[in-house]
Amino acid sequence: LAEFYDGMLLPALRDSERDHAEQRLNAEQRDAVVQSLRELVDEIDADEDFDTADAPPSRAGRVLVLPARAGRDAIAGLMLARALRLERFEVRVAMNRRETHGLLARLPEEVVDFVVVSATPPTALADADLICRRIKSIAPEQKLVVGFWQGTDEDAEQAAGNGKIPADDTV
């Protein structure tokens, strides 16, 4: 599933954003692509191909996935959540700003092993930095990872190496 997301759906998401920026797609067409990808992710999840009776017990790993900025970040975060659930993690994902704000407000009381901030180009690392700083101001000890999906290795190295983003890791 992760290979399918990495090889097919994330590039389609990234390409729709690039085509919109280069005016090959208008906003309505781009939104239709994003909605189709969301429906595909939901459909794949509805057809889980493992038998829960034979599944190993939960790893007790609790993950919270928050989009850095835009709908594309939420869709990529949803893909991550689906893949992590197949590995028996407990995952919650915010799909919009209202959900993100609500989950952030409850973060000090929540028990999560780590928070993943999902960012997909053209969302900038600066957007991920803003939400990471907010998380650290609310819960300074919270383990935090930035997923910069379909970014370049240079982007991830820059973010991780220069210490700009207050995250434990950038992938």
Side-chain angles (χ1 to χ4, degrees), residues 1 5 59 63-65 77-91 114 116:
L1 184 64
Y5 288 156
R59 294 183 177 166
V63 181
L64 177 60
V65 181
L78 183 61
M79 290 180 210
L80 173 66
R82 303 293 198 228
L84 289 175
R85 285 183 187 130
L86 288 175
E87 296 297 324
R88 312 313 298 158
F89 284 89
E90 293 178 40
V91 185
F114 60 95
V116 176

Side-chain angles (χ1 to χ4, degrees), residues 52-152:
T52 56
D54 295 331
S58 173
R59 294 183 177 166
R62 294 182 181 193
V63 181
L64 177 60
V65 181
L66 303 174
R69 180 171 182 223
R72 66 184 162 271
D73 303 328
I75 298 295
L78 183 61
M79 290 180 210
L80 173 66
R82 303 293 198 228
L84 289 175
R85 285 183 187 130
L86 288 175
E87 296 297 324
R88 312 313 298 158
F89 284 89
E90 293 178 40
V91 185
R92 284 187 304 156
V93 59
M95 292 305 298
N96 56 50
R97 287 182 189 215
R98 183 179 46 80
E99 289 179 17
T100 297
H101 290 298
L103 290 170
L104 285 175
R106 293 188 306 274
L107 188 58
E109 296 87 36
E110 292 289 324
V111 177
V112 294
D113 295 302
F114 60 95
V115 175
V116 176
V117 174
S118 174
T120 304
T123 295
L125 289 173
D127 295 311
D129 178 56
L130 287 174
I131 194 165
C132 287
R133 290 185 187 284
R134 181 150 183 229
I135 292 165
K136 287 297 187 178
S137 73
I138 294 168
E141 301 302 316
Q142 180 63 59
K143 296 289 186 198
L144 183 58
V145 175
V146 174
F148 196 56
W149 318 122
Q150 296 290 307
T152 65

